[in-house]
Amino acid sequence: MSSYPFNSSFTKQFRQEHPVSFCAEEKPFQHIVISNYGRMNEAAMNALGQSLNERLFDNAIIYRLLTKITQNDTLDTVRLSGFIEKAHEELTAHASAEPFTAQYYKHLIELLGSFLELVNEFDANGQELLLGNLNACYHNENSFAVNQSVDSEEIATMHRIIEDFMYQIGEYYQYFHILLQKEGEQEDNKSRVQVMSYVAYYLDTLITCTEKLIINIEGTLDMLLEWETALQNRESQSLFN
């Protein structure tokens, strides 16, 4: 095999004339230790430590996600589940009291039961799962011992899970609109038994609550995508540095 030695003029570019010092000053900043080999005052070292801390643990985006989900999204999900349960109970009571329209109520009751299962599954295997992962990644002095790092692929997986739930919920949302439209059309038929008014109310409220849930999920997906993109950029920098 042929040998290709480096050109001396090329290698000189990487030589340093400064002597190496083995007496580096170390400055701890929270859980980061900064070794100072040059001139840097304490204020500059603290600023560097703060910057590194935020970049290493993605605290800003994780905190925004945690705050959004715990203080807003979870409450909206609980309200939606509660309303579905209430509507399910009342429609079941109406079906028992009105045998002539029981078959009509049966379809709505089964639909609400299925939708409630989906919302509960999203809460347990979507929203709560995401919260658990976020809490494991969030950095503070009390939780540093269990702090975990993630890569962009893990965030992409979280994104796909939440997005899949959003699509399923969106299908119910569209169907609720179709049912509400049919309710409006049949109200004009005076020859039929008028049992539609409170059903329309349930559907209209259900549509409003479901739309709120979808908007919340879309916001979460946007933030996860932002986090994933930031991680991909850092991973690319690490690859080429």
Side-chain angles (χ1 to χ4, degrees), residues 8-87:
S8 59
S9 62
F10 175 80
T11 57
K12 285 180 180 179
Q13 300 178 50
F14 300 93
R15 293 177 181 172
Q16 298 292 331
E17 299 299 330
H18 304 290
V20 176
S21 172
F22 295 96
C23 301
E25 176 189 357
E26 291 188 345
K27 168 69 176 180
F29 180 85
Q30 295 183 9
H31 296 284
I32 299 174
V33 176
I34 302 173
S35 297
N36 181 17
Y37 290 90
R39 293 184 177 181
M40 180 181 290
N41 57 37
E42 184 172 350
M45 293 181 72
N46 286 338
L48 175 60
Q50 181 67 45
S51 175
L52 288 172
N53 184 62
E54 292 177 355
R55 286 178 60 83
L56 286 173
F57 299 106
D58 294 302
N59 266 8
I61 184 67
I62 296 175
Y63 179 77
R64 285 166 54 202
L65 276 164
L66 284 171
T67 302
K68 174 181 179 296
I69 295 173
T70 56
Q71 297 185 11
N72 181 48
D73 297 8
T74 300
L75 297 177
D76 288 334
T77 305
V78 170
R79 291 190 190 100
L80 176 58
S81 299
F83 179 78
I84 297 171
E85 291 175 353
K86 176 184 175 182

Side-chain angles (χ1 to χ4, degrees), residues 3 7 58 67 83 90 105 134 147 153 158 190 224 233:
S3 174
N7 185 284
D58 294 302
T67 302
F83 179 78
E90 296 202 17
Y105 287 118
L134 291 173
N147 177 258
E153 183 56 36
M158 291 188 215
K190 304 301 181 181
L224 285 174
N233 291 336

Side-chain angles (χ1 to χ4, degrees), residues 119-180:
V119 173
N120 288 339
E121 185 182 357
F122 165 70
D123 186 40
N125 298 322
Q127 202 159 249
E128 288 298 323
L129 179 64
L130 177 58
L131 277 175
N133 290 331
L134 291 173
N135 278 311
C137 297
Y138 188 64
H139 169 74
N140 58 53
E141 293 183 0
N142 296 324
S143 68
F144 179 75
V146 296
N147 177 258
Q148 301 175 8
S149 60
V150 294
D151 57 28
S152 60
E153 183 56 36
E154 291 174 285
I155 303 303
T157 299
M158 291 188 215
H159 188 283
R160 286 193 294 270
I161 292 172
I162 300 298
E163 187 176 46
D164 182 59
F165 276 113
M166 186 186 72
Y167 286 143
Q168 295 182 63
I169 292 169
E171 290 179 355
Y172 279 91
Y173 175 74
Q174 296 297 332
Y175 189 57
F176 293 149
H177 270 286
I178 293 173
L179 291 178
L180 182 60

